Amino acid sequence: MARVFQTYNINEANIIAHITPVKGKADLCAMLMPSRGMAYGDERWYVTKNRGEASKIVYFGSQGQASLKVYFVKSLGDAGWQTQHRLKGML
């Protein structure tokens, strides 16, 4: 379940991600969900302000730092993994 807390301290992060503006360069196309209950699987993200309810703590950084490239989509039909990635199933 992808309940994400965004940190601004790279040392606190479980995952360092880069938001790419190009869908074809993304490892994962994710959709932001309006409620915690709608976030399941790797591609449906709920961004929480409560660190305690997060499944992952993510730092958004540069492409060179990142272990995951994310593109945010507006349709669930476009959401999902674009590559075989070591984090698949772990968000």
Side-chain angles (χ1 to χ4, degrees):
M1 184 179 312
R3 292 183 316 253
V4 175
F5 177 82
Q6 179 182 357
T7 184
Y8 296 96
N9 182 343
I10 194 169
N11 296 318
E12 296 176 344
N14 302 117
I15 297 172
I16 300 171
H18 172 71
I19 301 171
T20 180
V22 180
K23 183 179 179 183
K25 293 187 177 187
D27 297 314
L28 175 65
C29 291
M31 183 171 176
L32 296 173
M33 305 310 290
S35 71
R36 179 178 61 200
M38 295 176 72
Y40 58 90
D42 292 337
E43 68 276 357
R44 298 176 186 209
W45 287 24
Y46 173 69
V47 179
T48 180
K49 294 179 182 179
N50 182 349
R51 181 187 304 263
E53 74 176 355
S55 60
K56 294 295 177 192
I57 299 173
V58 178
Y59 175 84
F60 292 101
S62 69
Q63 186 172 352
Q65 296 174 305
S67 58
L68 177 66
K69 291 176 280 190
V70 180
Y71 179 82
F72 289 105
V73 296
K74 295 181 181 179
S75 167
L76 281 176
D78 293 332
W81 287 96
Q82 305 297 303
T83 63
Q84 291 297 322
H85 199 277
R86 66 179 178 83
L87 293 174
K88 191 172 188 176
M90 298 176 67
L91 297 176

